[in-house]
Amino acid sequence: MRPADRAALGAEIMSHWPALLRAARRVVNDPATAEDLAAEAVARVLRLSLVEGQRIEHLRAYLCTAVRTIGADHHRRDRLVSFVGDVRDDQHPLAAAADTALFERMVRVEEHENIARAFSELRTRWQDILHRIDIEGDLLIDVATDLGMRPNSVAALAWRARRALRENYLAS
């Protein structure tokens, strides 16, 4: 990779730094730890791109996913490490599993919020098409008849709506 390409990659990654910090702060409460998670995600992406030569299509989404993965590893590691002064007699052996379940629920909630936000940004017509086809399970022919369209036109409209939904989600 040429030095100019490396500089461009670095600038592009750093343009997503605020989003990385927001994603990291959803995983951990400590601002310093959040910065560490974000920095580790940047280091991993740089290693993948510069050392291993992989091209990453949706950089922001990849970075945020890396932050969440690193955060999960961080929680798992903290759960496994206990200092003698930290161990309490009343500590239940399933407390660590409960912490992990809580973290996983938090990640699921965040994903659902991102999907809902991406869906709400779609045009109303696209929302209606996706809801009828993907949620209600209506057939293309039925949707086409109700809308006075041809089934091929409804299929094309659904394809464009799904693509827009994917782009909105990856932009978050």
Side-chain angles (χ1 to χ4, degrees), residues 16-59:
H16 299 297
W17 184 255
L20 287 176
L21 283 179
R22 282 192 304 274
R25 287 185 186 127
R26 289 183 190 127
V27 176
V28 295
N29 291 329
D30 178 34
T33 306
E35 286 187 15
D36 289 346
L37 295 179
E40 177 64 25
V42 168
R44 286 186 185 184
V45 167
L46 285 173
R47 189 186 73 244
L48 278 174
S49 297
L50 300 177
V51 177
E52 297 178 18
Q54 290 186 10
R55 176 149 166 63
I56 299 170
E57 288 296 319
H58 303 286
L59 185 60

Side-chain angles (χ1 to χ4, degrees), residues 101-114:
L102 175 65
F103 175 74
E104 289 172 358
R105 272 197 313 273
M106 287 173 29
V107 169
R108 272 196 309 271
V109 166
E110 179 185 350
E111 288 300 313
H112 290 157
E113 288 172 353
N114 288 342

Side-chain angles (χ1 to χ4, degrees), residues 129-147:
I129 293 288
L130 289 178
H131 187 268
R132 291 214 35 207
I133 293 171
D134 294 329
I135 305 299
E136 294 178 10
D138 291 349
L139 299 174
L140 286 176
I141 188 80
D142 296 333
V143 176
T145 303
D146 291 347
L147 297 176

